[in-house]
Amino acid sequence: MSILKYATHTTRRSMPAMGLLAGAMMCAVGTAQAQDLPSSMMWSAYDVGSSGYAEASAIADAFGREFGTRVRIQPSGSAIGRLQPLVNGRTDYAFLATEAFFASEGVYDFADRSWGPQDLRALGGRPASGGLATAADANIRQVSDVKGKRVAYVAGNPSVNVKLDAMLAFAGLTREDVDAITFPTYAAAMSSLTEGRTDATFTVTTPGLMYELAESPRGIHWVEIPQDDVDGWENMDQVAPIFSPYEETVGAGLSEENPVSMVAYRYPMVVTRSDLGDDEAYAFIKSLDEAYDLYKDATAVMDRWEIDQFGAPPLDVPFHDGAIRYLEEKGIWTEEHQAWNDKRKDRLEALIIAWEDAMEEGGELSDSEFADIWEEHRSNALINFN
């Protein structure tokens, strides 16, 4: 597996102020081909104040300045709120996180009979890092050491919880092998380590609560996820096939001199429907690439939108054919990438067929009865992909 290693800005630069209508439009068209993009677009994204919204806004501003394209961003604090406009065709692009995986798998909010597996495609995704954060005094030095320890989960937050389940799976463990403690909020779960109520959780490296843990009497320790542990990575892929190896140097207890091997996932990803035209997808990712210099300094992590990082799997859903065409032209797309994409598409197609069978069998049954039927069909469909 290739190692993703990023140079992160150490200072945050201010982004141009903007509202929902992103960017002041310039009449002149830049050097890229503005006719490849529509004159106006609507995107969905995370709520105002989130990093996903800030990054989408920076790109929207760049599209306005470079191509004269007006972008309206529709923010939402819920996964359904971000996906509904996309699948209904009110938006063609959504800046998403792990809910893209959940929607494609038909799980959590998307196991409802009104949803099921969604035929989504990605244009790419900005790498983000995360790992198994532990209190240093818990003496968890490898993933298997977490067995029997107190592990913090977050109620109603499948994005965090599935990543934590994947970390456990790396060592062949499940929630049954640990003392799983569920907290009502993300903040409560993260602070539970400092407070001595838990010993480990999954998180990104830069929240203030992790810096507090590092400065507390307990201290912080990030568990290594060895890049060469083939069995561990295969086990993790069975739970969430969205990770790649990553060496992090920025965050609580980390530095250039003290890096830790973690995982990379994608947030935000630019996601669309499978029926979006190839030329439209091609034009969008081409514009992202050509406008990069205009937005790369907008936030501390915008340099990770560089096309070599943005345009490589794995991520939560298959790449769109139009995006692949551009990545091939740039010399980024490899045979290994295509093999990953083919397998990911096969998995999604198998789940869509399994959903149709489940609906035919249990469409008139109660919600709980249907949930059991769908889980059985889904599990059978995934046997060939694990």
Side-chain angles (χ1 to χ4, degrees):
M1 298 181 183
S2 61
I3 301 172
L4 296 174
K5 187 174 183 179
Y6 316 117
T8 305
H9 291 295
T10 56
T11 59
R12 183 176 297 274
R13 304 184 185 182
S14 61
M15 186 180 64
M18 61 193 70
L20 290 181
L21 285 177
M25 300 299 105
M26 294 179 63
C27 294
V29 172
T31 55
Q33 298 177 14
Q35 66 269 23
D36 289 342
L37 289 177
S39 59
S40 64
M41 307 174 76
M42 180 178 286
W43 307 341
S44 61
Y46 274 70
D47 250 340
V48 176
S50 69
S51 58
Y53 182 86
E55 293 174 40
S57 296
I59 294 168
D61 179 71
F63 277 20
R65 289 187 284 149
E66 183 74 0
F67 310 116
T69 296
R70 173 176 296 197
V71 179
R72 178 186 169 93
I73 300 174
Q74 179 175 326
S76 176
S78 73
I80 296 295
R82 292 184 290 276
L83 265 297
Q84 192 83 60
L86 180 68
V87 300
N88 287 346
R90 295 198 303 273
T91 66
D92 283 330
Y93 305 98
F95 286 62
L96 304 178
T98 316
E99 68 268 23
F101 175 69
F102 299 152
S104 72
E105 295 280 303
V107 294
Y108 302 114
D109 289 344
F110 304 97
D112 185 87
R113 270 181 274 210
S114 63
W115 282 92
Q118 299 298 304
D119 199 11
L120 302 175
R121 295 292 185 272
L123 305 186
R126 188 265 288 172
S129 70
L132 190 61
T134 73
D137 64 6
N139 295 315
I140 301 171
R141 296 297 176 260
Q142 54 189 7
V143 180
S144 59
D145 293 339
V146 80
K147 185 175 182 178
K149 300 291 187 178
R150 300 168 299 172
V151 177
Y153 284 82
V154 185
N157 194 327
S159 180
V160 169
N161 296 341
V162 75
K163 294 181 179 76
L164 186 46
D165 286 342
M167 295 293 102
L168 298 181
F170 190 88
L173 304 176
T174 70
R175 294 192 199 188
E176 300 298 319
D177 298 306
V178 301
D179 181 9
I181 303 174
T182 300
F183 291 87
T185 66
Y186 176 83
M190 298 304 108
S191 63
S192 68
L193 276 73
T194 303
E195 295 165 355
R197 293 190 286 166
T198 60
D199 303 306
T201 193
F202 179 91
T203 184
V204 296
T205 64
T206 55
L209 291 168
M210 289 300 103
Y211 286 99
E212 290 180 14
L213 175 62
E215 297 298 322
S216 76
R218 299 197 77 189
I220 193 170
H221 176 74
W222 296 95
V223 179
E224 293 272 350
I225 308 296
Q227 299 160 359
D228 59 355
D229 188 334
V230 175
D231 290 340
W233 280 92
E234 288 181 352
N235 289 340
M236 195 157 51
D237 282 351
Q238 291 183 25
V239 176
I242 62 176
F243 298 116
S244 57
Y246 179 86
E247 190 173 85
E248 182 59 276
T249 62
V250 177
L254 301 170
S255 66
E256 291 286 347
E257 297 73 31
N258 183 36
V260 174
S261 294
M262 299 186 179
V263 299
Y265 59 99
R266 305 300 170 129
Y267 171 67
M269 289 168 285
V270 180
V271 177
T272 186
R273 302 176 306 278
S274 63
D275 63 1
L276 183 78
D278 287 0
D279 289 344
E280 294 174 79
Y282 176 94
F284 193 102
I285 190 172
K286 179 176 185 286
S287 300
L288 273 176
D289 186 26
E290 293 182 344
Y292 175 72
D293 286 342
L294 292 178
Y295 63 78
K296 66 179 182 180
D297 297 323
T299 76
V301 294
M302 287 301 286
D303 61 324
R304 299 181 185 183
W305 284 83
E306 188 270 331
I307 194 68
D308 287 346
Q309 298 181 48
F310 176 80
L315 40 63
D316 298 52
V317 295
F319 274 78
H320 195 286
D321 287 343
I324 292 174
R325 171 154 57 98
Y326 183 74
L327 294 168
E328 287 175 335
E329 290 179 6
K330 295 285 291 186
I332 293 168
W333 196 255
T334 68
E335 291 183 1
E336 182 182 12
H337 294 164
Q338 188 61 50
W340 176 90
N341 209 63
D342 290 342
K343 184 176 181 180
R344 189 67 187 84
K345 286 175 66 176
D346 289 345
R347 176 185 174 114
L348 178 50
E349 289 167 4
L351 287 171
I352 291 173
I353 293 171
W355 177 264
E356 293 171 352
D357 293 341
M359 287 290 287
E360 182 175 351
E361 180 180 343
E364 302 301 322
L365 299 179
S366 69
D367 289 345
S368 61
E369 290 172 321
F370 176 77
D372 291 338
I373 289 172
W374 166 230
E375 183 55 36
E376 179 182 356
H377 280 274
R378 182 175 180 275
S379 298
N380 291 337
L382 292 179
I383 289 175
N384 294 330
F385 298 94
N386 293 331

